[in-house]
Amino acid sequence: MTARQTVMLLGAVVLSLPSLAHGFQPLFSLDGNTITHCHITERAVFRKTAEVCRDLAASKGKDFSLVIDDSLSAAKVQRACSSIGTSTSVLSTVTFQTSIAQMYFSNAKVDIDFLLSDKHHFDDESFQGGRDLITAGVSYVKASVKLGNFAAGRWTLGQVFHTLQDFYSHSNWVELGNTEPYSTLIRPDQLFKNLAGPKTPTCTSCTGGHCFNNLLPVLQQQGLLTTGYFSLISSTKPAGKCSHGGKFDRTSRQEPVGGINKDDVSADHGSLHHKAADIAVKATMELLEDIRVAVGDKNFLQLMGLSQSSVLCFVIDTTGSMSDDIAEAKRVSFDIIDRKRGTPQEPSAYILVPFNDPGFGPLTRTTNADIFKDQINKLSANGGEDIPEMCLSGLQLALTAAPPSSEIFVFTDAPAKDAHLKSTITALIESTRSVVNFMLTNFISSRRRRSDIQGLSPHSMSQSDFKLYHDLARASGGQAIEVTKSDLSLVTSVIEDSSASAVVTVFQVVMNPGKPESFTFTVDGSLRNMTAYITGASSLTFNLTSSKGVSQSSSESGGPLASFTTAGNLRRLRLNTDNQTGSWKISINSNKPYSVKVIGQSSVNYIYYLVEANKGARGDFFLKEGHPLSGGNSSIVVSVGSDTVEVTDVTLFDSSGSTEINGSLQALGGGHFLVHFSDVPAGEFVVRLRGEDNSSTSKSTPTSFQRQASTQIKTSSISVTAQANNTNIEPGSTISIPFTVATMTNGVVNDNATGTFTMRANNDRSYASTSPSTVTVAAGSGGKANGTVTLTVPASAVSGTDVTLTIEAEDAAATDINYAVLRFSVAAKVADVNRPECQVVSTSASCPLSSSLCASSQWEFIANLTDGINGTGIERITIQKGNGTLNTSTTVGAGGKNVTVATYSASCCSQTVELAVVDRVGNVGTCVGQARALTTAALVTTVNTASTGGHTLSLSCLYISVVVFLLWE
């Protein structure tokens, strides 16, 4: 049986926000005929990722049968690129889909954050400004990939996509008859040509409500480029210039009337909408290819999120009593690495954050298992005399460094000294959807041991200390496991469980206060290796009943339904679900707090994002950070990645099990559904989804399934909005971020509200920052208060770094809180925009005409590669095409310039070579050499170079000589 097709169910909680957008529609189309930024991004990513996998397969002599076209899906690409093919394997596209979602949500957010910026949309003939945004963004993406900072790279990449894609909708590139991308937009070393001058008229007024022929003939005759002018406020534009057009563009009401945009099929030039979208897909792929060559295939696939495995992420207390815990963290991580190295289940990345007091970090983030091993081997237990440690500061680093939906394990035996970061950690948990598990080892005995050594009085964890860790675990869907140090090895199996591929949460509940209760969960045919975790007091008992009525009690450590182990407050049950699909029941008998979590491996899963609804003319959705609003209407956009799955119910489920709010489904087309919830009450909820899977080959009837999100959604009556005028910050500079706090009633601003809010602003890099400690909503202010946060990036910050800023507002009673999360890229200006230069030194060959004799002959060329006078230097040379051997060496040329000598040799059976030359900031050049058959007695051929003149070769009629030429593109 082949690997199961992954189903991606993307949930996004939707709130109302009146706003506008221009450009391709951002995310979803209600008419079913409009191509959105989301569609363009998905198509380009699917196709380029598939091309990379195809090329890798060819290099290894493997078949790749996937047809690369616009019908690709995440599941098709993941399956074709994966080496998984056994009957027991489970294929998941969760990481892939999550990564793509990061890109198209950041793409869509440009229409919110930079709506009026002409350069972000190529409006107002802002060619240079638009290209500067694109090339600066691409430079940052390449720098972030170098640092292993893939998530930040995706976020910036999505923004770059938006500007690049808008060019084809907002310019007359399509009207000029072009069918391929305008490559100059991604090549800062190339000059713009044939731009309409600032005083050149470009349009005539539309007539009869039609704008098919409003571009002046001179543009077509001279091949002149223009874009439309746009303004929400003013109708002023240069005389004779085209407008963007549309209901909200005031310039389109001034002569010449009308517009030229192709944003959707109903736009002024909507008849060309699909052609513009097709070229935008090609342009996005061209940009992705440039990044691929610059960073290499392996890093490119990581950037796209093509992975079957999760990250291994540890946050470890390194104070004096933690030697046993550190040793166990080493053991379990090394075991996972050694067992999974070289397999599709090998962790996609490794993250390590040590902490103690007063320090935390440094962060280690790597894709190299040996580097991770080396760093964890260096950990030693020492210090920490005053007991509380900087646990939450370390966790903050891990949450922002790990990819979304990661599972993080915190090892400590001490309370948190930085408990004031609790709300920040909660906000980051909700924003990243990551799960946090705490491994809490025996506090009293460990602290006594420390006091015996250091002469301190013994300490123990207070109830508030315990509550902090349990609250954070609950918010994330993780667990707070309390265990002695001697039994720690019995509970680290949880880490091994989470490192498996395609792990899903079937059911989870937390009861605090506890009470005897029975819970049901559905076992479907796609589930494998199911495990249940129960945490609670030692007096807790349980009874498990299968869909066939078979029962097993907690007095049986091994029975017909499960085998389980107990260590500390954790009971781990390995379920035996063979041939027992359907509704299972677990009954808990305890009056003390407890939790139940059921997981398994499956191809059916879902993720969700908070977004806001745009009440503009077309309607759409945008990513929202922060809590949804109490009493307001909310919705969930569910995206289904397979026709074999039918979604039947989506609910907001109170994590204590007492409330479940049913949603109403509306089809949006393309596998997307809008699920509407009315009057969501105050509380804490998780998203639960039920449906039917028709993919089973063993049953004639569909299999019912249920899945549950781990992360809690908490409603709030506070609104926090913040928007920066730039998301890129240069080292040594300061950025100001204005914010607004409002009191909400039933989802709308309470104009009559007054009050004071406590403000907190935290960033994960500990960069200098200022913020008001409070803001006050005064009478007559419309229920709102404003303030400003500043963030200063040190001059020593490395380009490619990212910084996450959390702005929080808490009411005077400290009973309600909301937040905004902003992500910034540290990006130094790149002065080196020129691609490396190449000069052929010599060529030699003696290739026979007969192909049957090619294997006995070799050809060779030698080239000098430099990066120009102001270049950063050659970093890497790779063979893009060709089956020969490449050797490089470095020498010093004229004027002390470093020269990289590339020597390529190959059999005459392989008569073409293409070399990619990459400098240290990611500029890419391509060098192509080719052997040609000659039919004349003697020829002289000039070899063209990028900028250094020619090289003459003598060729014989009896042999094939090699002609080497350079193509820079």
Side-chain angles (χ1 to χ4, degrees), residues 90-255:
V90 182
L91 183 65
S92 173
T93 64
V94 168
T95 303
F96 194 23
Q97 281 287 74
T98 301
S99 300
I100 295 172
Q102 283 183 282
M103 289 184 270
Y104 64 64
F105 274 122
S106 67
N107 184 324
K109 203 169 186 294
V110 173
D111 272 337
I112 293 291
D113 293 346
F114 307 105
L115 175 64
L116 302 181
S117 169
D118 53 4
K119 62 185 178 181
H120 280 85
H121 310 282
F122 276 106
D123 292 333
D124 302 3
E125 297 183 316
S126 57
F127 296 102
Q128 188 64 52
R131 184 172 72 173
D132 288 347
L133 282 175
I134 291 170
T135 55
V138 170
S139 294
Y140 173 79
V141 171
K142 293 173 180 177
S144 67
V145 170
K146 273 189 178 182
L147 299 179
N149 196 358
F150 299 108
R154 293 182 202 112
W155 190 258
T156 299
L157 191 54
Q159 295 176 325
V160 170
F161 285 167
H162 187 103
T163 301
L164 179 66
Q165 293 162 3
D166 267 3
F167 170 82
Y168 298 96
S169 176
H170 295 180
S171 73
N172 66 324
W173 181 259
V174 177
E175 287 86 344
L176 288 174
N178 294 296
T179 58
E180 296 300 321
Y182 187 31
S183 299
T184 301
L185 296 179
I186 66 172
R187 295 176 180 170
D189 58 340
Q190 292 187 357
L191 297 176
F192 285 109
K193 297 179 180 180
N194 297 335
L195 301 183
K199 295 183 178 181
T200 302
T202 54
C203 268
T204 185
S205 288
C206 303
T207 58
H210 300 292
C211 292
F212 302 133
N213 298 306
N214 60 332
L215 287 164
L216 291 177
V218 67
L219 301 183
Q220 190 72 30
Q221 294 164 2
Q222 300 182 21
L224 298 180
L225 264 178
T226 186
T227 67
Y229 281 73
F230 177 87
S231 177
L232 292 172
I233 303 169
S234 172
S235 61
T236 302
K237 65 181 176 183
K241 288 295 185 179
C242 299
S243 290
H244 174 85
K247 177 180 178 181
F248 300 107
D249 177 20
R250 294 181 65 88
T251 73
S252 65
R253 304 172 193 174
Q254 175 184 309
E255 292 287 340

Side-chain angles (χ1 to χ4, degrees), residues 303-446:
L303 179 64
M304 295 300 101
L306 192 72
S307 173
Q308 274 297 293
S309 58
S310 58
V311 300
L312 189 62
C313 183
F314 287 171
V315 180
I316 302 180
D317 183 344
T318 59
T319 48
S321 60
M322 287 292 292
S323 57
D324 295 339
D325 307 60
I326 294 171
E328 177 57 20
K330 290 179 183 179
R331 185 201 66 78
V332 69
S333 62
F334 287 13
D335 181 63
I336 290 171
I337 291 170
D338 294 340
R339 283 189 295 106
K340 299 189 176 187
R341 192 193 294 261
T343 73
Q345 287 76 40
E346 181 179 359
S348 58
Y350 303 89
I351 296 172
L352 176 65
V353 183
F355 68 90
N356 47 55
D357 179 34
F360 58 94
L363 164 75
T364 297
R365 177 176 50 201
T366 179
T367 57
N368 188 320
D370 292 325
I371 292 177
F372 179 81
K373 278 187 169 185
D374 181 62
Q375 291 301 312
I376 202 170
N377 261 329
K378 292 179 180 178
L379 296 183
S380 61
N382 56 76
E385 287 81 1
D386 64 346
I387 308 306
E389 318 298 351
M390 303 295 283
C391 178
L392 299 194
S393 297
L395 179 55
Q396 182 182 21
L397 267 183
L399 281 165
T400 55
S405 303
S406 294
E407 191 140 7
I408 298 170
F409 293 89
V410 181
F411 294 79
T412 187
D413 63 1
K417 189 172 187 176
D418 45 8
H420 62 277
L421 289 176
K422 179 182 178 181
S423 57
T424 300
I425 298 300
T426 303
L428 292 175
I429 284 170
E430 294 178 6
S431 177
T432 63
R433 308 292 188 263
S434 289
V435 176
V436 181
N437 300 284
F438 292 91
M439 302 294 184
L440 308 174
T441 51
N442 51 323
F443 304 96
I444 296 178
S445 63
S446 68

Side-chain angles (χ1 to χ4, degrees), residues 831-895:
D832 178 10
V833 298
N834 296 306
R835 287 164 288 170
E837 298 174 354
C838 179
Q839 180 180 22
V840 174
V841 175
S842 65
T843 61
S844 62
S846 184
C847 292
L849 285 171
S850 173
S851 60
S852 63
L853 301 176
C854 65
S856 61
S857 301
Q858 297 280 317
W859 63 278
E860 178 186 78
F861 84 87
I862 302 173
N864 286 342
L865 307 173
T866 59
D867 198 30
I869 298 175
N870 297 317
T872 51
I874 303 297
E875 182 173 79
R876 191 176 72 257
I877 307 168
T878 57
I879 301 173
Q880 294 297 102
K881 295 179 182 178
N883 296 321
T885 300
L886 176 67
N887 292 301
T888 62
S889 60
T890 303
T891 186
V892 178

Side-chain angles (χ1 to χ4, degrees), residues 51 62 71 163 179 219 321 337-338 352 365-366 403 479 523 549 569 599 623 630 708 728 779 789 844 868 937:
E51 287 181 3
K62 295 183 178 180
S71 69
T163 301
T179 58
L219 301 183
S321 60
I337 291 170
D338 294 340
L352 176 65
R365 177 176 50 201
T366 179
Q479 300 172 90
V523 175
N569 68 337
I599 66 169
L623 186 68
S630 304
Q708 183 172 314
N728 293 328
V789 172
S844 62

Side-chain angles (χ1 to χ4, degrees), residues 263-299:
D263 293 346
D264 57 43
V265 292
S266 64
D268 289 331
H269 282 205
S271 61
L272 297 174
H273 168 72
H274 287 279
K275 288 185 178 180
D278 287 344
I279 304 179
V281 171
K282 293 179 181 179
T284 307
M285 292 179 64
E286 182 183 46
L287 184 145
L288 287 172
E289 176 64 17
D290 177 77
I291 294 173
R292 168 200 177 181
V293 175
V295 304
D297 288 346
K298 181 179 179 180
N299 281 333

Side-chain angles (χ1 to χ4, degrees), residues 77-99:
V77 175
Q78 183 86 62
R79 185 167 55 248
C81 293
S82 176
S83 61
I84 297 175
T86 64
S87 60
T88 58
S89 298
V90 182
L91 183 65
S92 173
T93 64
V94 168
T95 303
F96 194 23
Q97 281 287 74
T98 301
S99 300

Side-chain angles (χ1 to χ4, degrees), residues 664-707:
S664 59
L665 280 75
Q666 174 190 350
L668 296 177
H672 302 294
F673 298 86
L674 178 65
V675 188
H676 183 74
F677 299 95
S678 299
D679 304 324
V680 178
E684 298 174 348
F685 302 92
V686 292
V687 180
R688 176 178 287 180
L689 185 143
R690 298 183 182 91
E692 294 184 341
D693 182 7
N694 298 284
S695 63
S696 175
T697 58
S698 61
K699 296 181 180 292
S700 59
T701 57
T703 299
S704 296
F705 70 88
Q706 76 174 58
R707 297 291 183 268

Side-chain angles (χ1 to χ4, degrees), residues 648-803:
T648 57
D649 298 287
V650 181
T651 62
L652 293 180
F653 176 71
D654 186 329
S655 58
S656 67
S658 59
T659 305
E660 191 165 11
I661 306 169
N662 294 315
S664 59
L665 280 75
Q666 174 190 350
L668 296 177
H672 302 294
F673 298 86
L674 178 65
V675 188
H676 183 74
F677 299 95
S678 299
D679 304 324
V680 178
E684 298 174 348
F685 302 92
V686 292
V687 180
R688 176 178 287 180
L689 185 143
R690 298 183 182 91
E692 294 184 341
D693 182 7
N694 298 284
S695 63
S696 175
T697 58
S698 61
K699 296 181 180 292
S700 59
T701 57
T703 299
S704 296
F705 70 88
Q706 76 174 58
R707 297 291 183 268
Q708 183 172 314
S710 296
T711 310
Q712 288 185 345
I713 301 171
K714 183 177 182 180
T715 61
S716 174
S717 293
I718 304 171
S719 169
V720 181
T721 56
Q723 184 174 319
N725 60 10
N726 196 356
T727 56
N728 293 328
I729 316 177
E730 289 188 42
S733 64
T734 299
I735 189 170
S736 296
I737 304 102
F739 66 85
T740 300
V741 179
T743 299
M744 313 296 288
T745 301
N746 295 328
V748 297
V749 177
N750 183 344
D751 295 337
N752 299 316
T754 60
T756 298
F757 295 90
T758 299
M759 301 302 303
R760 288 184 289 269
N762 292 292
N763 70 85
D764 61 331
R765 299 290 178 183
S766 299
Y767 291 165
S769 179
T770 65
S771 171
S773 58
T774 62
V775 295
T776 299
V777 177
S781 64
K784 299 179 180 180
N786 299 314
T788 300
V789 172
T790 68
L791 180 68
T792 300
V793 176
S796 59
V798 178
S799 189
T801 304
D802 67 312
V803 54

